[in-house]
Amino acid sequence: MFRVIGLRRRHYWLAVALLAAPPAIGQIAQPGRAPAKGPDAPKPTDTPTPQPTSATGQAMPDAPIVPDAEFNAALPPLSGDINAPLEPLVVPPKPPAPDTTPTPAIAVPPPATTATGQLLPLTGDTLAPAGVQDPQLAQPLQPLASFDTAPLETAADIKDKNAPTIRYETVVKGLDATNLTSRFKALSALEGGHGKAANATQVSARAKEDEGLAVRLLKSLGYYDATALAILDKDAAEQGKLRATLTASPGRLYTLSSVTVQADPTTPPELVRQQLPLKVGDAIQADRIQGAEANVSLVLPQRGYPFVKIGDRDILLDDQSDKATGAYTLPVDTGPRAAFGKLTTVGDAVFDLDHLNVFPRFKQGDLYDGRKTDDLRDALVATSLFRTVAVEPQRTGTINPDGTEQVDLLVRQTKGPPRSLAAQAGYSTGEGFKLQGSWTHRNLFPPEGALIGTIIAGSQEQGASGTFRRANAGRRDKTFTAIIAADHSSYDAFNANTVTVSARWSYDSTPIWQKRITYYYGVELDGTNESVYDFGIGDRVRRNYAIAALPAQIEWDHSDSLLNPTKGYRLKLNVSPEGSVQGTARPYARTMAEVDGYFPIGQKLVLAGKARAGSILGIDRDDLAPSRRYYGGGGGSVRGYGFQRLGPLDPQGNPVGGRSLNEFALEARYRFGDFGIVPFFDTGNAYESSMPKFGDLRYGAGIGGRVYTNFGPLRFDVATPLNKRPGDSKIALYISIGQAF
């Protein structure tokens, strides 16, 4: 830069020097003439070259235009210090304003000519007349938009897919020792060309790119002296084929000679260093160092430091010692140690502060934990009432008695659409097709008071219901639900027209927070008209039943997923004290116990098992409404048998249900990618007695397919009964969402 500026100043003074020498102007203005060469050049003659003359006609000696002494004296003095500031540029004075007084025209004499009409040579200050101007120079410039901006084609460009190609093979050397060969081939430009190229230039360009790739990969593992060289030559084994040989030299492996963390004192001491899993002697690997720094950024907000900032690392490499090492230094700004304060909110509010304070799983004054902040945001997202929602820690400057700084959480709210439509379809042998649609307004009765309308249109079941649901009712994940429903069911076991009114309080698991213990309890009133087989008269009759129930359930869930568990277990207990009025009131109790277990074998196979038993105590079977009895068979029971087809049958071959039930199932869930295969074996039966028996079991087996999605697996099961009875189908098909258990 400075050199360019200096040259420009030198040209300025040169111009001044030239202007100060008038006698040279004539010679500069005289057109130069280069000696002609070639076959058309004039032949040399003995006529001597005329010597230049002055304006008076006298011969001029062959002397410099400007003497060296005069030229050097005109140059400004230069300093020998190249770092010295430039001298100020002397601006010449402005010329005087031109005189606008008109001047009389002066007659210009015609140019002097010889006797033959030729012009005499110019002398003195006389300039040669200007030539004829090129008419194209007077035309306006062509607009830029009219130019063709398409890039020029080169020999390396591929004209079309049918253009002739050359073949080449790629040979990689020197990367096996570092286990980088497979990673290199996955990113290689040569490998990406699949051994084909338009020409050798393209192969060479790919090889050059792979040289840089090999060096970058080796440096990422700590080989900072790595080099790579690619050579192209002809393949001796196959004529017309090239061989690209890339040879990499890792050089020495650099290791950490020291690990230094520059941070303020923390509580507990050395918290930052403990969360930085690096030690002296470790290879300076890029991914490992970045992962260690990310661990600091992740863990410190969980230990009370929400405002931690990781600075730019510094690794000073030492390549002069016998052992290649690097000194690692990481600056960390931990910020203040903080405790939870209060919630504040801004934006288009969906919830006020009273309802927002239902969601946190922390109390004011608890040590700050970033996981609980994320949990609060996830819980708000799960309400599906926000278009956007964010939870951000805010410093207050208030110091608590324990020395922590109070940090408030700012909730930024933006309302989303409260209404939604949903649909669900399924099919199984015995139940037929079932299509269910629902309309939901999630916040018709704020806060979180939803109204849900549902319609069921199936081949064997039709119905409609209205549901009021209050989510997070006084406590997070506690729900109150009230339902009014009308339903018509027509199955082999019974034909019923039922009206139900129920209310339930529940504490539920959600995909965001799967709870170890969940429960529900409630009240249910049913009025039903059902077809039942009367063994006394030997035919089916219709009877009316009025049923009051107090259903309750508790579940211990130690599995790792709600929809697709792969390990752990679940234990579920149900009890429902009920009273049936059918002529006279009869109290009884329905009970059910179930345990499911999941056992992983390797990374892709899970063994899943289920055992379930139920009992109805205090009432005879024939005094029970058919819809309240136990039945076996179907997609959630013993597969291979029709829905509710297991258990005692009437003389017409229809199931009549029982007062007890037992079921067992075993599945081998093999998953590959987003798909899976599940062979399974089921057994069980329903019994007339109040306690289940383990004799007269029915067996079913089959195979299923799974398609794993972000909302759960899609299940396709095909099963067959192994000890079928007369009337049982040979094949049963089940399609639904979620695992069988």
Side-chain angles (χ1 to χ4, degrees), residues 429-431 632-635 638 640-646 725 728-729 732 734:
T429 303
E431 290 182 272
V638 181
Y641 296 87
F643 178 65
Q644 297 181 338
R645 291 289 305 176
L646 284 186
R725 304 164 302 177
D728 289 333
S729 299
Y734 312 95

Side-chain angles (χ1 to χ4, degrees), residues 18-262:
L18 294 178
L19 291 175
I25 295 178
Q27 297 185 24
I28 294 176
Q30 184 177 356
R33 297 174 182 174
K37 296 181 180 181
D40 297 332
K43 302 301 181 181
T45 62
D46 296 335
T47 305
T49 302
Q51 187 177 5
T53 60
S54 66
T56 59
Q58 297 180 355
M60 296 179 62
D62 187 8
I65 298 174
V66 179
D68 290 344
E70 182 181 351
F71 178 81
N72 292 332
L75 293 177
L78 298 178
S79 172
D81 185 4
I82 62 174
N83 296 320
L86 296 175
E87 298 87 351
L89 184 63
V90 179
V91 179
K94 294 183 179 180
D99 187 3
T100 58
T101 304
T103 56
I106 301 174
V108 179
T113 59
T114 63
T116 60
Q118 295 181 352
L119 293 175
L120 292 174
L122 297 176
T123 59
D125 296 339
T126 305
L127 296 176
V132 179
Q133 184 178 7
D134 189 347
Q136 293 186 0
L137 296 178
Q139 299 298 323
L141 295 177
Q142 186 176 357
L144 291 177
S146 64
F147 285 93
D148 183 10
T149 58
L152 296 176
E153 292 184 350
T154 65
D157 293 332
I158 300 177
K159 306 295 187 299
D160 56 63
K161 64 180 181 180
N162 296 321
T165 60
I166 63 171
R167 295 185 175 273
Y168 66 89
E169 66 171 339
T170 304
V171 179
V172 181
K173 300 179 180 179
L175 294 180
D176 289 339
T178 57
N179 297 321
L180 284 175
T181 302
S182 60
R183 188 176 178 185
F184 172 84
K185 290 183 177 180
L187 302 173
S188 167
L190 287 169
E191 295 288 346
H194 304 290
K196 298 179 181 179
N199 44 53
T201 302
Q202 193 174 58
V203 180
S204 178
R206 293 174 183 174
K208 191 68 176 178
E209 185 175 346
D210 280 359
E211 288 179 352
L213 172 64
V215 171
R216 290 194 302 271
L217 290 177
L218 288 168
K219 286 186 176 181
S220 71
L221 295 184
Y223 297 95
Y224 290 94
D225 297 333
T227 59
L229 179 63
I231 298 176
L232 294 183
D233 55 8
K234 294 182 179 180
D235 192 338
E238 186 174 347
Q239 187 176 4
K241 188 175 183 180
L242 296 178
R243 177 187 290 114
T245 303
L246 186 139
T247 304
S249 300
R252 297 186 298 174
L253 176 64
Y254 282 75
T255 59
L256 293 174
S257 60
S258 63
V259 178
T260 304
V261 174
Q262 298 175 348

Side-chain angles (χ1 to χ4, degrees), residues 316-658:
L316 182 60
L317 299 178
D318 181 6
D319 59 354
Q320 301 300 317
S321 302
D322 295 338
K323 187 176 181 181
T325 59
Y328 174 87
T329 303
L330 181 67
V332 178
D333 180 6
T334 60
R337 191 167 184 256
F340 284 112
K342 60 184 180 180
L343 299 184
T344 61
T345 185
V346 295
D348 188 10
V350 177
F351 303 139
D352 58 18
L353 285 175
D354 288 340
H355 193 63
L356 283 176
N357 279 288
V358 171
F359 293 92
R361 300 193 186 280
F362 54 82
K363 297 179 181 179
Q364 187 171 346
D366 290 349
L367 186 67
Y368 185 91
D369 189 337
R371 292 168 295 187
K372 295 181 179 180
T373 300
D374 294 339
D375 175 76
L376 171 59
R377 189 191 69 85
D378 291 342
L380 294 173
V381 171
T383 65
S384 301
L385 290 171
F386 297 90
R387 187 179 302 277
T388 60
V389 61
V391 181
E392 305 169 2
Q394 303 287 319
R395 294 188 63 175
T396 65
T398 302
I399 305 301
N400 297 318
D402 61 356
T404 59
E405 180 177 336
Q406 177 178 313
V407 171
D408 294 343
L409 296 183
L410 176 63
V411 180
R412 299 183 183 274
Q413 307 182 55
T414 303
K415 285 183 179 179
R419 301 173 184 85
S420 63
L421 293 173
Q424 181 178 342
Y427 171 82
S428 67
T429 303
E431 290 182 272
F433 287 98
K434 181 184 290 187
L435 177 63
Q436 178 175 314
S438 64
W439 172 89
T440 303
H441 191 304
R442 290 181 294 276
N443 204 31
L444 185 61
F445 308 99
E448 295 193 79
L451 182 63
I452 306 169
T454 304
I455 296 178
I456 298 175
S459 57
Q460 295 177 253
E461 182 181 1
Q462 305 84 39
S465 65
T467 303
F468 169 77
R469 183 185 64 202
R470 174 81 70 186
N472 301 298
R475 179 185 178 187
R476 178 171 161 180
D477 297 331
K478 189 173 184 180
T479 305
F480 171 76
T481 306
I483 301 175
I484 299 177
D487 183 84
H488 170 72
S489 301
S490 178
Y491 299 108
D492 293 342
F494 59 86
N495 183 292
N497 299 311
T498 305
V499 176
T500 301
V501 178
S502 66
R504 175 179 293 185
W505 289 262
S506 61
Y507 184 60
D508 304 315
S509 280
T510 67
I512 293 176
W513 190 45
Q514 182 178 352
K515 302 168 185 61
R516 296 302 184 190
I517 299 178
T518 59
Y519 61 84
Y520 72 75
Y521 58 89
V523 59
E524 180 179 336
L525 300 175
D526 293 312
T528 179
N529 175 268
E530 302 186 10
S531 171
V532 58
Y533 187 84
D534 190 332
F535 285 89
I537 63 176
D539 200 0
R540 302 190 73 86
V541 297
R542 298 198 71 88
R543 292 176 180 168
N544 296 321
Y545 299 87
I547 303 167
L550 298 173
Q553 173 183 292
I554 186 169
E555 180 177 358
W556 290 267
D557 186 352
H558 287 263
S559 66
D560 62 341
S561 173
L562 286 176
L563 297 177
N564 185 36
T566 59
K567 63 181 179 180
Y569 67 91
R570 296 172 180 168
L571 177 61
K572 185 188 304 181
L573 298 176
N574 292 77
V575 60
S576 179
E578 300 182 3
S580 176
V581 179
Q582 198 264 325
T584 59
R586 297 293 303 273
Y588 60 94
R590 302 174 78 240
T591 62
M592 180 74 73
E594 179 179 338
V595 59
D596 304 327
Y598 311 95
F599 310 94
I601 300 177
Q603 298 294 324
K604 298 182 178 181
L605 181 63
V606 175
L607 293 181
K610 177 188 74 172
R612 180 165 65 172
S615 178
I616 301 176
L617 306 172
I619 192 172
D620 294 335
R621 181 193 64 184
D622 294 341
D623 292 331
L624 275 172
S627 61
R628 312 299 288 186
R629 301 173 187 176
Y630 284 143
Y631 301 87
S637 178
V638 181
R639 286 162 287 185
Y641 296 87
F643 178 65
Q644 297 181 338
R645 291 289 305 176
L646 284 186
L649 304 176
D650 64 24
Q652 298 174 351
N654 295 316
V656 295

